[in-house]
Amino acid sequence: MNLREVEVKITTLIKKRSEASERLARLKEIADPYDPKNIMEINGLKQAVETLSSDIQRLEVERGNLLDAEEAARKEYTAALAVYDGLIARLPNGEKEAAEIVKRHAKTTEAAERARSILIEKINTLNAITGGMTYIPGSTGNAWKEFAREYEYEIVRRT
């Protein structure tokens, strides 16, 4: 049983014990104390209250044990997370590397964009003359996406 289940069970048992105690108090005040039927009901309610109290105490002990286990697990989790974060921080920064790669190839990218715009202009002229459709090459953005996909594949394959 986990901590949440134990707490829900404790709350439910406390509510039941409270209801039984209230019924017992009302029965003692209102009913004839010498009537055998009332005596049996009072004894049954007393027994129910005692049983519920012992169950609540047992669950409180279990809850305490689970809280101790949770605290230990949280400490272990925090330590493992710190180790993981430290190792992840040692990996290269993709954003920084991507910015450097883009800067390094900026002139080539600009030249490719200019050449593509000229090519599209020529394709449009050709299409206007022939009335046909000619293949329009992808933009440099598509080339960068393809590079990123291949780069990711290589990294995943090597790890």
Side-chain angles (χ1 to χ4, degrees), residues 32-128:
D32 179 18
Y34 301 110
D35 185 10
K37 180 181 170 187
N38 290 342
I39 292 173
M40 284 179 43
E41 191 171 349
I42 288 171
N43 288 338
L45 287 172
K46 282 182 181 178
Q47 183 64 36
V49 168
E50 288 175 13
T51 304
L52 290 170
S53 294
S54 67
D55 286 348
I56 290 170
Q57 288 175 348
R58 180 184 55 79
L59 288 172
E60 285 291 341
V61 169
E62 188 174 339
R63 180 178 175 265
N65 292 339
L66 287 171
L67 286 172
D68 292 342
E70 179 193 23
E71 184 179 339
R74 281 195 189 280
K75 286 180 182 177
E76 291 175 8
Y77 163 75
T78 304
L81 183 62
V83 168
Y84 177 75
D85 285 345
L87 291 172
I88 289 295
R90 291 182 190 170
L91 292 175
N93 185 338
E95 245 181 82
K96 184 179 175 184
E97 285 187 11
E100 290 173 7
I101 291 172
V102 168
K103 282 180 188 174
R104 196 171 343 145
H105 297 286
K107 289 181 182 178
T108 309
T109 304
E110 289 173 18
E113 282 294 326
R114 276 185 264 129
R116 182 174 184 270
S117 65
I118 293 169
L119 180 61
I120 289 175
E121 184 181 310
K122 300 302 180 191
I123 288 173
N124 289 337
T125 305
L126 180 62
N127 287 342

Side-chain angles (χ1 to χ4, degrees), residues 15-41:
K15 190 180 289 186
K16 285 181 181 180
R17 182 179 67 181
S18 172
E19 291 171 0
S21 296
E22 287 175 14
R23 282 183 53 207
L24 180 62
R26 274 187 272 134
L27 192 60
K28 282 183 176 179
E29 289 175 3
I30 297 172
D32 179 18
Y34 301 110
D35 185 10
K37 180 181 170 187
N38 290 342
I39 292 173
M40 284 179 43
E41 191 171 349

